[in-house]
Amino acid sequence: MTTSRGLRRWHWAGFVLQCVAYAANDGQKMLAVFLVAVGSSGPSVSFAAAALFGLGTLYGMPRAGRTLGREILASRPLHGVAAELASGTTVIGCAAVGMPVSMTQSIAGSLIGTGVAYGGGRVRWYAAVKIVIAWVLTLPAAGLLAAVAAITVKGIS
């Protein structure tokens, strides 16, 4: 069922799966930030949090979309549908067992897997390696910065 009409149906199925996966895994994180903002100081803080989320989205989304849509793989519609279905299933499975995962990372991994399925030459390994290096560095860097911030705040208060 790789006709245009069949592919469109699979795309919608993948899109719905991605939405459910986002809600199961990432949506509550955003809701928690807004609830903390509302509980902190009222509407002005909530508005500021919403504005900051909007600015972050405007800054990060085009870059993420470009990387995922063009840099990892010379993507075709079938690749996108396969990646949507695989990443949505992965994130829902991880959420079901309580493992927090990144939707963006699962999509990137799915695109790489799709490219490998059609021959490793389709994958632009330079972009894939950049993403993997970022994944490997993020957790230790965040931990180190949090430790520095905690020591600094403890010293100030």
Side-chain angles (χ1 to χ4, degrees), residues 53-82:
F53 267 112
L55 288 172
T57 300
L58 286 173
Y59 173 72
M61 200 57 96
R63 294 177 62 202
R66 186 172 44 255
T67 299
L68 294 174
R70 291 186 220 140
E71 291 182 22
I72 293 177
L73 177 71
S75 185
R76 295 193 173 133
L78 184 60
H79 301 139
V81 169

Side-chain angles (χ1 to χ4, degrees), residues 4 8 110 136:
S4 177
R8 190 175 311 121
S110 296
V136 169

Side-chain angles (χ1 to χ4, degrees), residues 9-114:
R9 286 182 181 160
W10 280 110
H11 168 68
W12 275 104
F15 176 74
V16 168
L17 193 61
Q18 290 268 313
C19 290
V20 171
Y22 182 80
N25 187 62
D26 290 336
Q28 70 275 18
K29 296 171 197 164
M30 197 176 278
L31 180 61
V33 170
F34 281 115
L35 288 175
V36 167
V38 168
S40 297
S41 302
S44 62
V45 174
S46 298
F47 180 75
L52 290 172
F53 267 112
L55 288 172
T57 300
L58 286 173
Y59 173 72
M61 200 57 96
R63 294 177 62 202
R66 186 172 44 255
T67 299
L68 294 174
R70 291 186 220 140
E71 291 182 22
I72 293 177
L73 177 71
S75 185
R76 295 193 173 133
L78 184 60
H79 301 139
V81 169
E84 286 174 340
L85 292 168
S87 63
T89 303
T90 300
V91 170
I92 289 172
C94 288
V97 296
M99 291 175 25
V101 295
S102 165
M103 200 72 183
T104 307
Q105 289 176 347
S106 70
I107 292 168
S110 296
L111 285 169
I112 293 168
T114 302

